[in-house]
Amino acid sequence: MAAEDLDKQPDSVSSVLKVFGILNALGDERDIGISELAQRVMMSKSTVYRFLQTMKTLGYVSQEEDTEKYSLTVKLFELGAKALQNVDVIRYANGPMRELSRQTKEAIHLGALDDDAIIYIHKIDSQYNLRMYSRIGRRNPIHSTAIGKVLMAWCDPGLREETLAKITFSPGTGNAVQRREDFLPLLEQVKQQGYAEDAEEQEEGVRCIAVPVFDRLGTVSVGLSLSLPTLRFSEEGRPQLVALLHAAARDISSQMGYHDYPY
Protein backbone atom coordinates (compact mmCIF):
# COMPACT_ATOMS: atom_id res chain seq x y z
CA MET A 1 0.00 0.00 0.00
CA ALA A 2 1.42 3.38 -1.02
CA ALA A 3 2.14 6.11 1.52
CA GLU A 4 -0.55 8.36 0.07
CA ASP A 5 -3.09 5.53 0.54
CA LEU A 6 -2.04 5.19 4.19
CA ASP A 7 -2.80 8.85 4.77
CA LYS A 8 -6.40 8.30 3.63
CA GLN A 9 -7.02 5.65 6.29
CA PRO A 10 -8.44 6.40 9.76
CA ASP A 11 -5.62 7.15 12.23
CA SER A 12 -5.88 3.80 14.06
CA VAL A 13 -5.94 1.78 10.83
CA SER A 14 -3.13 3.86 9.35
CA SER A 15 -0.97 3.26 12.43
CA VAL A 16 -1.49 -0.51 12.26
CA LEU A 17 -0.64 -0.56 8.54
CA LYS A 18 2.50 1.48 9.18
CA VAL A 19 3.61 -0.87 11.97
CA PHE A 20 3.23 -3.93 9.76
CA GLY A 21 4.92 -2.14 6.88
CA ILE A 22 7.93 -1.54 9.13
CA LEU A 23 7.87 -5.13 10.43
CA ASN A 24 7.76 -6.52 6.88
CA ALA A 25 10.67 -4.32 5.85
CA LEU A 26 12.66 -5.44 8.89
CA GLY A 27 11.87 -9.02 7.97
CA ASP A 28 13.47 -8.54 4.55
CA GLU A 29 16.76 -7.32 6.03
CA ARG A 30 18.75 -8.74 8.91
CA ASP A 31 19.92 -5.27 9.99
CA ILE A 32 18.80 -1.95 8.58
CA GLY A 33 19.39 1.70 9.41
CA ILE A 34 16.59 4.15 10.01
CA SER A 35 17.25 6.19 6.83
CA GLU A 36 17.08 3.15 4.56
CA LEU A 37 14.08 1.81 6.45
CA ALA A 38 12.23 5.12 6.09
CA GLN A 39 12.90 5.09 2.34
CA ARG A 40 11.65 1.52 2.00
CA VAL A 41 8.36 2.16 3.77
CA MET A 42 8.04 5.67 2.33
CA MET A 43 7.57 7.38 5.67
CA SER A 44 9.42 10.18 7.40
CA LYS A 45 12.37 9.26 9.58
CA SER A 46 10.65 10.80 12.61
CA THR A 47 7.55 8.62 12.10
CA VAL A 48 9.60 5.46 11.63
CA TYR A 49 11.72 6.31 14.68
CA ARG A 50 8.63 6.78 16.84
CA PHE A 51 7.21 3.38 15.87
CA LEU A 52 10.59 1.68 16.28
CA GLN A 53 10.99 2.98 19.82
CA THR A 54 7.59 1.56 20.77
CA MET A 55 8.45 -1.80 19.17
CA LYS A 56 11.75 -1.82 21.07
CA THR A 57 9.91 -1.19 24.33
CA LEU A 58 7.54 -4.09 23.57
CA GLY A 59 10.47 -6.36 22.72
CA TYR A 60 9.75 -6.95 19.03
CA VAL A 61 12.69 -4.93 17.70
CA SER A 62 16.30 -4.61 18.85
CA GLN A 63 18.96 -2.04 18.01
CA GLU A 64 22.67 -2.70 17.61
CA GLU A 65 24.68 -0.38 19.83
CA ASP A 66 27.62 0.12 17.46
CA THR A 67 25.82 0.51 14.15
CA GLU A 68 22.45 1.72 15.53
CA LYS A 69 20.79 -0.57 12.98
CA TYR A 70 17.49 -2.26 13.77
CA SER A 71 16.42 -5.90 13.51
CA LEU A 72 13.55 -8.14 14.54
CA THR A 73 13.74 -10.18 17.75
CA VAL A 74 12.55 -13.74 18.28
CA LYS A 75 9.41 -12.46 20.02
CA LEU A 76 7.56 -12.44 16.70
CA PHE A 77 8.70 -16.02 16.14
CA GLU A 78 7.31 -16.92 19.56
CA LEU A 79 3.94 -15.45 18.60
CA GLY A 80 3.93 -17.39 15.35
CA ALA A 81 4.91 -20.57 17.17
CA LYS A 82 1.96 -20.15 19.52
CA ALA A 83 -0.40 -19.75 16.57
CA LEU A 84 1.02 -22.84 14.87
CA GLN A 85 0.77 -24.79 18.11
CA ASN A 86 -2.92 -23.97 18.44
CA VAL A 87 -3.55 -24.92 14.80
CA ASP A 88 -1.79 -28.26 15.34
CA VAL A 89 -3.49 -29.10 18.62
CA ILE A 90 -6.94 -28.35 17.18
CA ARG A 91 -6.23 -30.68 14.28
CA TYR A 92 -5.04 -33.42 16.63
CA ALA A 93 -7.82 -32.85 19.15
CA ASN A 94 -10.78 -32.77 16.79
CA GLY A 95 -11.14 -36.56 16.44
CA PRO A 96 -10.78 -37.44 20.14
CA MET A 97 -13.11 -34.58 21.07
CA ARG A 98 -15.76 -35.83 18.67
CA GLU A 99 -15.40 -39.36 20.05
CA LEU A 100 -15.76 -37.99 23.59
CA SER A 101 -18.86 -36.12 22.45
CA ARG A 102 -20.26 -39.35 20.96
CA GLN A 103 -19.62 -41.22 24.21
CA THR A 104 -21.09 -38.61 26.55
CA LYS A 105 -23.27 -36.34 24.35
CA GLU A 106 -22.01 -33.43 26.49
CA ALA A 107 -20.27 -30.16 25.52
CA ILE A 108 -16.52 -30.55 24.98
CA HIS A 109 -14.05 -27.64 25.07
CA LEU A 110 -10.37 -27.12 24.34
CA GLY A 111 -8.88 -24.06 26.01
CA ALA A 112 -5.53 -22.28 26.19
CA LEU A 113 -4.03 -19.57 28.36
CA ASP A 114 -4.50 -16.04 27.01
CA ASP A 115 -2.67 -13.56 29.25
CA ASP A 116 -4.84 -13.33 32.41
CA ALA A 117 -7.70 -15.51 31.12
CA ILE A 118 -8.40 -18.68 29.19
CA ILE A 119 -9.61 -18.70 25.61
CA TYR A 120 -11.62 -21.46 23.95
CA ILE A 121 -9.89 -22.59 20.77
CA HIS A 122 -12.17 -25.52 19.86
CA LYS A 123 -15.61 -26.73 20.91
CA ILE A 124 -18.02 -29.58 20.23
CA ASP A 125 -21.57 -28.65 21.19
CA SER A 126 -23.69 -30.78 23.50
CA GLN A 127 -26.08 -33.15 21.81
CA TYR A 128 -28.57 -32.24 24.51
CA ASN A 129 -30.27 -28.88 24.73
CA LEU A 130 -27.53 -27.31 26.88
CA ARG A 131 -27.07 -23.58 26.52
CA MET A 132 -23.67 -22.32 27.66
CA TYR A 133 -22.02 -18.92 27.48
CA SER A 134 -19.08 -20.36 25.57
CA ARG A 135 -17.89 -20.08 22.02
CA ILE A 136 -14.61 -20.39 20.16
CA GLY A 137 -12.62 -17.23 20.85
CA ARG A 138 -14.44 -16.40 24.07
CA ARG A 139 -12.28 -15.56 27.10
CA ASN A 140 -13.21 -16.67 30.62
CA PRO A 141 -11.58 -16.18 34.02
CA ILE A 142 -8.84 -18.57 35.10
CA HIS A 143 -9.84 -19.03 38.74
CA SER A 144 -13.49 -20.00 38.12
CA THR A 145 -13.02 -22.43 35.22
CA ALA A 146 -11.84 -26.04 35.26
CA ILE A 147 -9.55 -25.43 32.26
CA GLY A 148 -8.05 -22.38 33.96
CA LYS A 149 -7.23 -24.42 37.07
CA VAL A 150 -5.62 -27.16 34.98
CA LEU A 151 -3.46 -24.69 33.07
CA MET A 152 -2.33 -23.01 36.29
CA ALA A 153 -1.68 -26.33 38.05
CA TRP A 154 0.80 -27.43 35.37
CA CYS A 155 2.11 -23.95 34.61
CA ASP A 156 5.76 -22.96 34.85
CA PRO A 157 6.11 -21.39 38.33
CA GLY A 158 7.43 -18.11 36.95
CA LEU A 159 4.61 -17.74 34.45
CA ARG A 160 2.10 -18.78 37.11
CA GLU A 161 3.24 -16.00 39.44
CA GLU A 162 3.17 -13.48 36.61
CA THR A 163 -0.32 -14.58 35.56
CA LEU A 164 -1.81 -14.72 39.05
CA ALA A 165 -0.54 -11.19 39.71
CA LYS A 166 -2.85 -9.97 36.92
CA ILE A 167 -5.95 -11.85 38.04
CA THR A 168 -8.85 -10.20 39.80
CA PHE A 169 -10.47 -12.89 41.93
CA SER A 170 -14.05 -11.91 41.17
CA PRO A 171 -16.77 -13.98 42.89
CA GLY A 172 -18.33 -15.22 39.64
CA THR A 173 -21.48 -17.03 40.67
CA GLY A 174 -20.39 -16.83 44.30
CA ASN A 175 -18.98 -20.37 44.32
CA ALA A 176 -15.55 -19.45 42.93
CA VAL A 177 -12.40 -19.10 45.02
CA GLN A 178 -11.99 -15.40 45.81
CA ARG A 179 -8.52 -15.25 47.36
CA ARG A 180 -5.10 -16.09 45.95
CA GLU A 181 -4.10 -17.82 49.19
CA ASP A 182 -7.00 -20.25 48.75
CA PHE A 183 -6.34 -20.77 45.04
CA LEU A 184 -2.74 -22.01 45.29
CA PRO A 185 -3.48 -25.05 47.53
CA LEU A 186 -6.33 -25.91 45.16
CA LEU A 187 -3.85 -26.11 42.27
CA GLU A 188 -1.76 -28.64 44.19
CA GLN A 189 -4.86 -30.76 44.70
CA VAL A 190 -5.69 -30.53 40.98
CA LYS A 191 -2.23 -31.77 40.03
CA GLN A 192 -2.35 -34.65 42.48
CA GLN A 193 -5.75 -35.92 41.36
CA GLY A 194 -5.14 -35.25 37.65
CA TYR A 195 -8.21 -33.15 36.93
CA ALA A 196 -9.95 -29.91 37.91
CA GLU A 197 -13.60 -29.06 38.47
CA ASP A 198 -15.82 -26.04 38.12
CA ALA A 199 -18.77 -26.59 40.45
CA GLU A 200 -21.16 -23.91 39.19
CA GLU A 201 -18.39 -21.34 39.61
CA GLN A 202 -18.61 -19.82 36.14
CA GLU A 203 -22.25 -20.51 35.28
CA GLU A 204 -25.10 -21.43 37.58
CA GLY A 205 -26.47 -24.89 36.82
CA VAL A 206 -23.35 -26.04 34.93
CA ARG A 207 -20.59 -28.38 36.13
CA CYS A 208 -17.30 -28.80 34.31
CA ILE A 209 -14.38 -31.24 34.55
CA ALA A 210 -11.03 -30.60 32.81
CA VAL A 211 -7.78 -32.53 32.32
CA PRO A 212 -4.34 -31.57 30.97
CA VAL A 213 -3.07 -32.16 27.43
CA PHE A 214 0.73 -32.46 27.07
CA ASP A 215 2.85 -31.47 24.08
CA ARG A 216 6.03 -33.26 22.95
CA LEU A 217 8.09 -31.37 25.56
CA GLY A 218 5.77 -32.40 28.38
CA THR A 219 4.30 -28.92 28.68
CA VAL A 220 0.59 -28.38 29.33
CA SER A 221 -0.44 -25.58 27.00
CA VAL A 222 -4.10 -26.59 26.60
CA GLY A 223 -6.80 -28.17 28.72
CA LEU A 224 -9.64 -30.44 27.65
CA SER A 225 -12.99 -30.18 29.41
CA LEU A 226 -16.46 -31.64 29.53
CA SER A 227 -19.43 -29.53 30.65
CA LEU A 228 -22.85 -30.74 31.72
CA PRO A 229 -25.83 -29.43 33.67
CA THR A 230 -25.94 -30.18 37.38
CA LEU A 231 -29.10 -32.26 36.90
CA ARG A 232 -27.07 -34.80 34.86
CA PHE A 233 -24.05 -34.75 37.15
CA SER A 234 -23.57 -37.28 39.94
CA GLU A 235 -20.67 -37.94 42.30
CA GLU A 236 -20.85 -41.63 41.35
CA GLY A 237 -20.50 -40.79 37.64
CA ARG A 238 -17.50 -38.48 38.03
CA PRO A 239 -14.79 -41.21 37.84
CA GLN A 240 -16.16 -42.45 34.51
CA LEU A 241 -16.20 -38.93 33.04
CA VAL A 242 -12.64 -38.31 34.27
CA ALA A 243 -11.51 -41.61 32.74
CA LEU A 244 -13.06 -40.71 29.37
CA LEU A 245 -11.45 -37.27 29.48
CA HIS A 246 -8.06 -38.77 30.30
CA ALA A 247 -8.38 -41.26 27.44
CA ALA A 248 -9.11 -38.43 24.98
CA ALA A 249 -6.32 -36.24 26.38
CA ARG A 250 -3.89 -39.17 26.27
CA ASP A 251 -4.74 -39.67 22.59
CA ILE A 252 -4.22 -35.97 21.78
CA SER A 253 -0.98 -35.85 23.78
CA SER A 254 0.32 -38.92 21.94
CA GLN A 255 -0.40 -37.32 18.58
CA MET A 256 1.54 -34.28 19.76
CA GLY A 257 4.55 -36.47 20.56
CA TYR A 258 4.07 -37.07 24.29
CA HIS A 259 3.74 -40.78 25.12
CA ASP A 260 4.03 -40.83 28.93
CA TYR A 261 0.57 -39.51 29.86
CA PRO A 262 0.49 -39.90 33.65
CA TYR A 263 -3.20 -40.74 34.16
Side-chain angles (χ1 to χ4, degrees):
M1 182 175 286
E4 58 269 22
D5 294 327
L6 286 177
D7 293 335
K8 296 176 184 177
Q9 299 289 333
D11 287 345
S12 58
V13 175
S14 175
S15 295
V16 171
L17 291 172
K18 287 175 181 175
V19 166
F20 278 96
I22 293 169
L23 289 174
N24 283 325
L26 288 169
D28 291 336
E29 291 285 340
R30 181 176 177 83
D31 298 289
I32 188 169
I34 192 167
S35 297
E36 185 183 351
L37 183 56
Q39 289 176 355
R40 288 201 175 200
V41 296
M42 294 185 292
M43 299 177 206
S44 69
K45 286 173 62 176
S46 60
T47 298
V48 172
Y49 177 80
R50 189 172 70 251
F51 282 116
L52 285 171
Q53 294 311 302
T54 301
M55 290 185 227
K56 276 179 61 179
T57 301
L58 294 173
Y60 291 99
V61 169
S62 64
Q63 185 179 20
E64 177 62 40
E65 260 187 55
D66 296 334
T67 64
E68 295 190 346
K69 290 187 175 182
Y70 295 88
S71 60
L72 296 177
T73 69
V74 295
K75 193 166 183 179
L76 279 171
F77 173 79
E78 291 170 357
L79 279 178
K82 287 180 182 178
L84 286 174
Q85 183 183 51
N86 282 346
V87 170
D88 284 344
V89 73
I90 291 168
R91 176 162 52 88
Y92 295 140
N94 186 59
M97 287 176 69
R98 292 194 179 280
E99 175 60 18
L100 186 57
S101 170
R102 186 194 67 77
Q103 293 170 325
T104 65
K105 299 183 172 57
E106 305 293 357
I108 313 299
H109 294 87
L110 194 69
L113 190 63
D114 183 31
D115 194 28
D116 62 346
I118 65 158
I119 185 169
Y120 297 114
I121 59 176
H122 196 34
K123 177 186 179 183
I124 308 295
D125 285 319
S126 170
Q127 296 178 42
Y128 296 108
N129 187 25
L130 172 62
R131 287 193 158 197
M132 290 187 64
Y133 294 106
S134 68
R135 64 177 185 275
I136 295 173
R138 182 183 177 90
R139 298 171 85 248
N140 265 339
I142 288 173
H143 71 288
S144 59
T145 56
I147 286 179
K149 294 171 190 174
V150 160
L151 294 177
M152 283 294 97
W154 275 270
C155 192
D156 171 81
L159 178 58
R160 178 193 294 169
E161 287 301 313
E162 182 183 326
T163 303
L164 290 180
K166 302 175 187 175
I167 293 177
T168 300
F169 284 84
S170 58
T173 62
N175 296 323
V177 170
Q178 298 178 35
R179 300 190 308 169
R180 173 194 172 96
E181 51 266 39
D182 296 328
F183 190 60
L184 290 172
L186 179 61
L187 299 182
E188 290 303 316
Q189 178 187 339
V190 166
K191 200 165 186 179
Q192 287 177 13
Q193 66 190 19
Y195 67 91
E197 291 188 87
D198 156 14
E200 297 186 80
E201 296 165 48
Q202 183 60 30
E203 291 183 46
E204 290 184 1
V206 177
R207 297 286 297 249
C208 185
I209 305 171
V211 299
V213 174
F214 296 83
D215 64 18
R216 63 185 179 82
L217 299 176
T219 301
V220 176
S221 55
V222 294
L224 177 69
S225 73
L226 179 149
S227 301
L228 72 166
T230 54
L231 61 88
R232 280 201 299 275
F233 175 82
S234 69
E235 297 294 334
E236 297 78 14
R238 182 196 286 112
Q240 176 65 11
L241 294 178
V242 171
L244 290 172
L245 277 162
H246 277 153
R250 186 182 305 112
D251 188 352
I252 300 167
S253 299
S254 178
Q255 291 185 68
M256 293 178 69
Y258 189 80
H259 304 290
D260 297 314
Y261 196 83
Y263 306 103

